[in-house]
Amino acid sequence: MNNKSAILTSIESVVKLYKGLNFEFNEVSDSYADAVMTIKCDNAVWNFDAGIKSTINPSVIGQFLQKLPLYKNPPVLITSYVNSKMAEELRSRNINFIDTAGNAFVYSPPLVIDIQGNKPIQKEQQVNRMYRSSGLKIIFTLLCNPGLENVDYRTLSKMSNVALGSVGWVMRDLKQNGYLKESGKKGYRLVNKEDLLQQWVSNYHNQLRPKITLGRYSSIKENWINSLEINETMLWGSEYAAKIITNYLRPEQYTMYIHELKTEFLIKNRLHKSPDGNIEILNKFWTFDNEWTNQHVVPPLLIYADLIISKLDRNIETAKMIYDKELIGVIKQD
DNA sequence: GCATGTGTTAGGTGCCGGAA
DNA sequence: TTCCGGCACCTAACACATGC
């Protein structure tokens, strides 16, 4: 049983406790929904397109919002646990959800379900190493460099900037989770990349991004962006990178990925720490170059992830453009 | 048989969260 | 605030495979 089926099985036993309502779940293999949830009450019937997620965080919400136009029925998020803060945010955005702890918000008048305050019944499952920071660095390298799954571990460790010892553990997890399949003479092949990409985006926000964030800055220079001294270790991410590759977005936030942030760089560009600044600097965690490096732009996967996390409509729209233009071709090569 | 390349793993280190 | 234990990650050594 995969993770989604396990969550669905738990949900089925939870919703039996909702008196007067009959729930049915039918798994589907659409590009947007994982299942169709049907609620019956007296003679009334409601259908919902369900997205099943192992966790809920801002990036998952972003991905969910990106797919909204595709849903045929009102959508509902099904997950293991939604904490009270996240539940409040989902309610405020009118996003339906049900979790395995028994919390739910389903608003489709006259049907209204709003159950709060239930705590998770079991401790979170042991997290795979592949979704820890070192694992996420390796997966990022693999997703950005198709065919790299058969290079030796030392090369992969250098490109991903993780220790050699970690590579073996992560590759083992990728095999165990069905993302790395033996393919005869060709060695191993990365499969199910679309799911892996979405998992990467979700976990990047929680696990890796906080560790590589160096801080927020503002510049005291007017028109600083035009006089910025760019060096070879600095790449644009998020909104400004999206502007460069799509020419669609007008950036309000500026995200830089820098290999080693040096004081001279800050002094030259007159950047100073500011919690509300519109310049965010993060550590560039990978060492490989690709076609985007010359344009001082991070790989599209990272731009996509940062835009999705922002949860802003225009950014999500741009993320979808980048997904369709730059990512779908790579992940469909199974 | 030796050199080199590769994957595995034991032990050390540092970080983080919870308890006092 | 400090201490402590658990955990993730890294280093370095080891074993094995391969090619000359």
Side-chain angles (χ1 to χ4, degrees), chain A residues 262-275:
Chain A
K262 294 189 173 149
T263 317
E264 299 99 84
F265 177 82
L266 297 174
I267 294 170
K268 268 184 186 173
N269 295 296
R270 304 179 81 177
L271 300 177
H272 63 95
K273 274 245 180 194
S274 162

Side-chain angles (χ1 to χ4, degrees), chain A residues 16 19 106 110 112 257 270 277-278:
Chain A
K16 280 179 187 164
K19 287 179 182 167
V106 178
V112 178
Y257 286 82
R270 304 179 81 177
N278 64 343

